[in-house]
Amino acid sequence: MFARFSPLCNGERAVVMLFIGSVLFSIPSTLFHHGIALFLLGIVALGIEIRVETFSSSLNQFKTRPGASSGILLGAVTLPTLMLSKLIQLSRAIPPYEIQYEVNYLAMQFWATYASCFSVLVVLCLLTCTSLYSSEISPQRHWGAMFCLSCTVLCSVLFFFSSIGLPATLKLVWVLSHGFAAVRLVQHLLNTFPSCASIGEALLVTTGLVLYFGDMLACTFAKFLGYLIPSEKVPVKYRIKRSEISIIIQGLVLGLLLFPFFFKFILHLWNHVCRATSSGLGTYNERRRAFLFSTSFGLIMLVLVPSWMQFVLDFQVHPVLWVVEFVFSEPARRVSLCVYWVCVIYVAVQRFYNISKSSKIERILLRKYYHLMAVLMFLPAVIFQPKFLDLAFGAALAVFLTLEIIRVWKIWPVGILIHQFMNAFTDHRDSDLLIVSHFSLLLGCALPIWMSSGYNDRPLAPFAGILSLGIGDTMASMVGHKYGVLRWSKTGKKTVEGTAAGITSVLAACSVLLPVLASTGYILTQHWVSLLLAVILSGLLEAYTAQLDNAFIPLVFYSLLCL
């Protein structure tokens, strides 16, 4: 009997269920409905993942990343569990009425991520039933459809019970719109970028993008409401005050994500008007394409996106000028920090690029040096210049997105050069079509810091990405590669020695970091039980998961630290 069910209880699923259970164990009575909904989401995701991996041909229409498991359970529960962890953290605030707007806003974010993940799971369940039993309506297919319908009804009931503040109907429409957008977007990502991501990775990215775009629409809608009705009558969801830095980052990221669609339309329009030129003018065509790229990019990033920023937040000056004034408001610290970053990046990139061309060192180990570089760059800034680091992360993400767009579109004359340079640091998780590892490392370090900008009673929470990726993941890979003997599984490369080294190194780093934070004025309220739980479970997840660990481990680590 055990041998029959042992393939269904692999290490990754066990760790994820422990992760969910830890959060559910910590919820207060006021979040009871949210906890029930999350438990239901985990059960549905587990069942669909087992079904998909048992019948490998059930989702043949999606070409996922080779060598990776489906990752449906991990991808479906990560962001909703993160939002619930933040709600648990906010429930400890004293007095609670001072952050009531933030609580209501975050509750809506929880239900939006929940609807996005649950909608995709329902579609996946229906697709598996259709592909497996397409010839006839079998009892199994009928059971799958009834199960999806029952879960959907139950989640709607839970949502209505937790709807306090805004009218439930309005909230339900808002949440369901996120679910519909997530279904469409995850299909688009998996079909547009085949063999670049697993279903779980695509689900995580999709949920994050839909949530971010939805928040942009909420900001814009709130501004329109301000013109139409008095501010005291604006629904609670839209009263969250955004800082200038958060609006600038949001505008930059969303503008760059929408730019490829705009550029594709411009190219189509230009070709339609001018028609194709002769084959002997290939260089001219490339230069014309580069000119159109530069012109449309400047229009989007220097005119349209700043106009939206000024509409939403009433900047007194152009957002670019605001950034310049912000940087030079403390030139001794911020400019010197920029110089330090440039020097570290130049030395590291030049050194590691030469090693990648001349050495036989494995790519995975070479990339861990960039994790250590992230520790050197970001750790001092988190302690002494957190607001400036928020803006710097946004700028770095914008640069990465711009370079990736140029590489994918092969914009003359630097597109090929960027591709050759980036290809020196790729491994089996990247492809020529899309290179995502540097994005996952940057966002893995940035997201815990961005999410800690509001109420935060856990001083180590902003350091979740730096600790888990820069120290824990790096030490686990290096020690496991050099000294590892006992493997966690017969087919995997992760070793017990590497996992132990990663867990031990993170605990040692925390024991050093906490006194440093105390000396700089932080009030130490970190619960050691949650810290131990976060370190151990994130270390085990790194050992067992076949997903892109840079994306998942920091979010899991951060969620458990907030308990």
Side-chain angles (χ1 to χ4, degrees), residues 101 166 221-223 225-227 229-239:
Y101 292 160
L166 279 176
F221 182 63
K223 193 64 176 183
L225 285 179
Y227 288 118
I229 60 178
S231 60
E232 62 272 10
K233 294 184 179 181
V234 175
V236 170
K237 169 181 169 44
Y238 304 115
R239 293 195 214 167

PDB file of all heavy atoms in Angstrom, residues 101 166 221-223 225-227 229-239:
ATOM      1  N   TYR A 101      -7.188  50.634   6.778  1.00  0.00           N
ATOM      2  CA  TYR A 101      -7.217  50.747   5.327  1.00  0.00           C
ATOM      3  C   TYR A 101      -6.264  49.742   4.682  1.00  0.00           C
ATOM      4  O   TYR A 101      -6.574  49.118   3.673  1.00  0.00           O
ATOM      5  CB  TYR A 101      -6.833  52.167   4.894  1.00  0.00           C
ATOM      6  CG  TYR A 101      -7.857  53.219   5.265  1.00  0.00           C
ATOM      7  CD1 TYR A 101      -7.500  54.561   5.332  1.00  0.00           C
ATOM      8  CD2 TYR A 101      -9.170  52.860   5.551  1.00  0.00           C
ATOM      9  CE1 TYR A 101      -8.432  55.523   5.674  1.00  0.00           C
ATOM     10  CE2 TYR A 101     -10.097  53.825   5.896  1.00  0.00           C
ATOM     11  CZ  TYR A 101      -9.732  55.149   5.960  1.00  0.00           C
ATOM     12  OH  TYR A 101     -10.644  56.094   6.297  1.00  0.00           O
ATOM     13  N   LEU A 166     -16.795  47.104   1.331  1.00  0.00           N
ATOM     14  CA  LEU A 166     -17.380  47.303   0.013  1.00  0.00           C
ATOM     15  C   LEU A 166     -18.550  46.343  -0.192  1.00  0.00           C
ATOM     16  O   LEU A 166     -18.591  45.275   0.413  1.00  0.00           O
ATOM     17  CB  LEU A 166     -16.331  47.051  -1.076  1.00  0.00           C
ATOM     18  CG  LEU A 166     -15.359  48.172  -1.389  1.00  0.00           C
ATOM     19  CD1 LEU A 166     -14.353  47.681  -2.401  1.00  0.00           C
ATOM     20  CD2 LEU A 166     -16.042  49.402  -1.893  1.00  0.00           C
ATOM     21  N   PHE A 221      -8.434  54.332 -11.314  1.00  0.00           N
ATOM     22  CA  PHE A 221      -9.855  54.459 -10.985  1.00  0.00           C
ATOM     23  C   PHE A 221     -10.055  55.337  -9.759  1.00  0.00           C
ATOM     24  O   PHE A 221     -11.026  56.114  -9.673  1.00  0.00           O
ATOM     25  CB  PHE A 221     -10.440  53.072 -10.759  1.00  0.00           C
ATOM     26  CG  PHE A 221     -11.905  53.066 -10.467  1.00  0.00           C
ATOM     27  CD1 PHE A 221     -12.811  53.518 -11.403  1.00  0.00           C
ATOM     28  CD2 PHE A 221     -12.378  52.592  -9.250  1.00  0.00           C
ATOM     29  CE1 PHE A 221     -14.172  53.515 -11.135  1.00  0.00           C
ATOM     30  CE2 PHE A 221     -13.723  52.591  -8.971  1.00  0.00           C
ATOM     31  CZ  PHE A 221     -14.630  53.043  -9.919  1.00  0.00           C
ATOM     32  N   ALA A 222      -9.160  55.220  -8.769  1.00  0.00           N
ATOM     33  CA  ALA A 222      -9.261  56.041  -7.567  1.00  0.00           C
ATOM     34  C   ALA A 222      -9.124  57.524  -7.900  1.00  0.00           C
ATOM     35  O   ALA A 222      -9.795  58.371  -7.302  1.00  0.00           O
ATOM     36  CB  ALA A 222      -8.192  55.626  -6.558  1.00  0.00           C
ATOM     37  N   LYS A 223      -8.272  57.839  -8.856  1.00  0.00           N
ATOM     38  CA  LYS A 223      -8.105  59.236  -9.246  1.00  0.00           C
ATOM     39  C   LYS A 223      -9.365  59.771  -9.916  1.00  0.00           C
ATOM     40  O   LYS A 223      -9.790  60.908  -9.658  1.00  0.00           O
ATOM     41  CB  LYS A 223      -6.906  59.370 -10.194  1.00  0.00           C
ATOM     42  CG  LYS A 223      -6.453  60.806 -10.405  1.00  0.00           C
ATOM     43  CD  LYS A 223      -5.953  61.419  -9.109  1.00  0.00           C
ATOM     44  CE  LYS A 223      -5.416  62.831  -9.335  1.00  0.00           C
ATOM     45  NZ  LYS A 223      -4.879  63.392  -8.095  1.00  0.00           N
ATOM     46  N   LEU A 225     -12.356  58.666  -9.331  1.00  0.00           N
ATOM     47  CA  LEU A 225     -13.338  58.809  -8.265  1.00  0.00           C
ATOM     48  C   LEU A 225     -13.134  60.105  -7.494  1.00  0.00           C
ATOM     49  O   LEU A 225     -14.092  60.723  -7.025  1.00  0.00           O
ATOM     50  CB  LEU A 225     -13.260  57.623  -7.301  1.00  0.00           C
ATOM     51  CG  LEU A 225     -13.848  56.289  -7.778  1.00  0.00           C
ATOM     52  CD1 LEU A 225     -13.657  55.231  -6.706  1.00  0.00           C
ATOM     53  CD2 LEU A 225     -15.310  56.428  -8.127  1.00  0.00           C
ATOM     54  N   GLY A 226     -11.868  60.507  -7.346  1.00  0.00           N
ATOM     55  CA  GLY A 226     -11.591  61.745  -6.648  1.00  0.00           C
ATOM     56  C   GLY A 226     -12.172  62.958  -7.327  1.00  0.00           C
ATOM     57  O   GLY A 226     -12.484  63.966  -6.668  1.00  0.00           O
ATOM     58  N   TYR A 227     -12.327  62.900  -8.648  1.00  0.00           N
ATOM     59  CA  TYR A 227     -12.944  64.002  -9.378  1.00  0.00           C
ATOM     60  C   TYR A 227     -14.471  63.960  -9.320  1.00  0.00           C
ATOM     61  O   TYR A 227     -15.133  64.981  -9.488  1.00  0.00           O
ATOM     62  CB  TYR A 227     -12.510  63.973 -10.846  1.00  0.00           C
ATOM     63  CG  TYR A 227     -11.084  64.374 -11.063  1.00  0.00           C
ATOM     64  CD1 TYR A 227     -10.172  63.464 -11.609  1.00  0.00           C
ATOM     65  CD2 TYR A 227     -10.615  65.636 -10.721  1.00  0.00           C
ATOM     66  CE1 TYR A 227      -8.847  63.806 -11.809  1.00  0.00           C
ATOM     67  CE2 TYR A 227      -9.290  65.993 -10.915  1.00  0.00           C
ATOM     68  CZ  TYR A 227      -8.413  65.080 -11.466  1.00  0.00           C
ATOM     69  OH  TYR A 227      -7.093  65.423 -11.662  1.00  0.00           O
ATOM     70  N   ILE A 229     -16.573  62.149  -6.775  1.00  0.00           N
ATOM     71  CA  ILE A 229     -17.239  62.125  -5.477  1.00  0.00           C
ATOM     72  C   ILE A 229     -16.264  62.602  -4.407  1.00  0.00           C
ATOM     73  O   ILE A 229     -15.047  62.574  -4.596  1.00  0.00           O
ATOM     74  CB  ILE A 229     -17.749  60.710  -5.135  1.00  0.00           C
ATOM     75  CG1 ILE A 229     -16.582  59.721  -5.081  1.00  0.00           C
ATOM     76  CG2 ILE A 229     -18.794  60.252  -6.127  1.00  0.00           C
ATOM     77  CD1 ILE A 229     -17.010  58.304  -4.704  1.00  0.00           C
ATOM     78  N   PRO A 230     -16.763  63.016  -3.233  1.00  0.00           N
ATOM     79  CA  PRO A 230     -15.871  63.452  -2.148  1.00  0.00           C
ATOM     80  C   PRO A 230     -14.964  62.325  -1.685  1.00  0.00           C
ATOM     81  O   PRO A 230     -15.319  61.151  -1.759  1.00  0.00           O
ATOM     82  CB  PRO A 230     -16.857  63.870  -1.044  1.00  0.00           C
ATOM     83  CG  PRO A 230     -18.137  64.155  -1.754  1.00  0.00           C
ATOM     84  CD  PRO A 230     -18.179  63.223  -2.925  1.00  0.00           C
ATOM     85  N   SER A 231     -13.790  62.674  -1.196  1.00  0.00           N
ATOM     86  CA  SER A 231     -12.786  61.679  -0.818  1.00  0.00           C
ATOM     87  C   SER A 231     -13.253  60.767   0.302  1.00  0.00           C
ATOM     88  O   SER A 231     -12.879  59.604   0.359  1.00  0.00           O
ATOM     89  CB  SER A 231     -11.478  62.384  -0.399  1.00  0.00           C
ATOM     90  OG  SER A 231     -11.732  63.247   0.706  1.00  0.00           O
ATOM     91  N   GLU A 232     -14.104  61.298   1.229  1.00  0.00           N
ATOM     92  CA  GLU A 232     -14.541  60.445   2.328  1.00  0.00           C
ATOM     93  C   GLU A 232     -15.503  59.357   1.883  1.00  0.00           C
ATOM     94  O   GLU A 232     -15.746  58.389   2.608  1.00  0.00           O
ATOM     95  CB  GLU A 232     -15.207  61.291   3.419  1.00  0.00           C
ATOM     96  CG  GLU A 232     -16.470  62.025   2.973  1.00  0.00           C
ATOM     97  CD  GLU A 232     -16.150  63.399   2.382  1.00  0.00           C
ATOM     98  OE1 GLU A 232     -14.940  63.659   2.167  1.00  0.00           O
ATOM     99  OE2 GLU A 232     -17.082  64.172   2.154  1.00  0.00           O
ATOM    100  N   LYS A 233     -16.054  59.490   0.667  1.00  0.00           N
ATOM    101  CA  LYS A 233     -16.954  58.473   0.150  1.00  0.00           C
ATOM    102  C   LYS A 233     -16.259  57.490  -0.787  1.00  0.00           C
ATOM    103  O   LYS A 233     -16.894  56.586  -1.316  1.00  0.00           O
ATOM    104  CB  LYS A 233     -18.134  59.120  -0.587  1.00  0.00           C
ATOM    105  CG  LYS A 233     -19.040  59.931   0.329  1.00  0.00           C
ATOM    106  CD  LYS A 233     -20.242  60.465  -0.435  1.00  0.00           C
ATOM    107  CE  LYS A 233     -21.160  61.249   0.491  1.00  0.00           C
ATOM    108  NZ  LYS A 233     -22.355  61.770  -0.246  1.00  0.00           N
ATOM    109  N   VAL A 234     -14.970  57.674  -1.015  1.00  0.00           N
ATOM    110  CA  VAL A 234     -14.221  56.734  -1.854  1.00  0.00           C
ATOM    111  C   VAL A 234     -14.093  55.410  -1.124  1.00  0.00           C
ATOM    112  O   VAL A 234     -13.782  55.380   0.073  1.00  0.00           O
ATOM    113  CB  VAL A 234     -12.817  57.292  -2.188  1.00  0.00           C
ATOM    114  CG1 VAL A 234     -12.003  56.278  -2.959  1.00  0.00           C
ATOM    115  CG2 VAL A 234     -12.953  58.583  -2.983  1.00  0.00           C
ATOM    116  N   PRO A 235     -14.360  54.287  -1.783  1.00  0.00           N
ATOM    117  CA  PRO A 235     -14.266  52.988  -1.105  1.00  0.00           C
ATOM    118  C   PRO A 235     -12.913  52.781  -0.448  1.00  0.00           C
ATOM    119  O   PRO A 235     -11.884  53.294  -0.908  1.00  0.00           O
ATOM    120  CB  PRO A 235     -14.485  51.977  -2.243  1.00  0.00           C
ATOM    121  CG  PRO A 235     -15.324  52.724  -3.226  1.00  0.00           C
ATOM    122  CD  PRO A 235     -14.831  54.151  -3.163  1.00  0.00           C
ATOM    123  N   VAL A 236     -12.936  52.025   0.625  1.00  0.00           N
ATOM    124  CA  VAL A 236     -11.734  51.823   1.437  1.00  0.00           C
ATOM    125  C   VAL A 236     -10.593  51.261   0.613  1.00  0.00           C
ATOM    126  O   VAL A 236      -9.430  51.620   0.806  1.00  0.00           O
ATOM    127  CB  VAL A 236     -12.064  50.882   2.615  1.00  0.00           C
ATOM    128  CG1 VAL A 236     -10.803  50.444   3.335  1.00  0.00           C
ATOM    129  CG2 VAL A 236     -12.997  51.579   3.578  1.00  0.00           C
ATOM    130  N   LYS A 237     -10.899  50.390  -0.343  1.00  0.00           N
ATOM    131  CA  LYS A 237      -9.855  49.732  -1.122  1.00  0.00           C
ATOM    132  C   LYS A 237      -8.950  50.725  -1.812  1.00  0.00           C
ATOM    133  O   LYS A 237      -7.767  50.471  -2.011  1.00  0.00           O
ATOM    134  CB  LYS A 237     -10.493  48.796  -2.160  1.00  0.00           C
ATOM    135  CG  LYS A 237      -9.503  48.286  -3.166  1.00  0.00           C
ATOM    136  CD  LYS A 237     -10.153  47.400  -4.161  1.00  0.00           C
ATOM    137  CE  LYS A 237      -9.230  47.094  -5.315  1.00  0.00           C
ATOM    138  NZ  LYS A 237      -7.893  46.778  -4.977  1.00  0.00           N
ATOM    139  N   TYR A 238      -9.487  51.883  -2.187  1.00  0.00           N
ATOM    140  CA  TYR A 238      -8.726  52.814  -3.005  1.00  0.00           C
ATOM    141  C   TYR A 238      -8.098  53.939  -2.200  1.00  0.00           C
ATOM    142  O   TYR A 238      -7.571  54.875  -2.766  1.00  0.00           O
ATOM    143  CB  TYR A 238      -9.646  53.405  -4.089  1.00  0.00           C
ATOM    144  CG  TYR A 238     -10.294  52.356  -4.947  1.00  0.00           C
ATOM    145  CD1 TYR A 238     -11.676  52.184  -4.936  1.00  0.00           C
ATOM    146  CD2 TYR A 238      -9.536  51.518  -5.746  1.00  0.00           C
ATOM    147  CE1 TYR A 238     -12.273  51.210  -5.711  1.00  0.00           C
ATOM    148  CE2 TYR A 238     -10.120  50.545  -6.523  1.00  0.00           C
ATOM    149  CZ  TYR A 238     -11.487  50.401  -6.499  1.00  0.00           C
ATOM    150  OH  TYR A 238     -12.075  49.437  -7.260  1.00  0.00           O
ATOM    151  N   ARG A 239      -8.178  53.871  -0.874  1.00  0.00           N
ATOM    152  CA  ARG A 239      -7.626  54.963  -0.075  1.00  0.00           C
ATOM    153  C   ARG A 239      -6.193  54.713   0.359  1.00  0.00           C
ATOM    154  O   ARG A 239      -5.642  55.503   1.107  1.00  0.00           O
ATOM    155  CB  ARG A 239      -8.493  55.171   1.171  1.00  0.00           C
ATOM    156  CG  ARG A 239      -9.879  55.676   0.860  1.00  0.00           C
ATOM    157  CD  ARG A 239     -10.527  56.193   2.131  1.00  0.00           C
ATOM    158  NE  ARG A 239     -11.956  55.948   2.152  1.00  0.00           N
ATOM    159  CZ  ARG A 239     -12.708  56.066   3.233  1.00  0.00           C
ATOM    160  NH1 ARG A 239     -12.163  56.402   4.376  1.00  0.00           N
ATOM    161  NH2 ARG A 239     -13.996  55.825   3.171  1.00  0.00           N
TER     162      ARG A 239
END
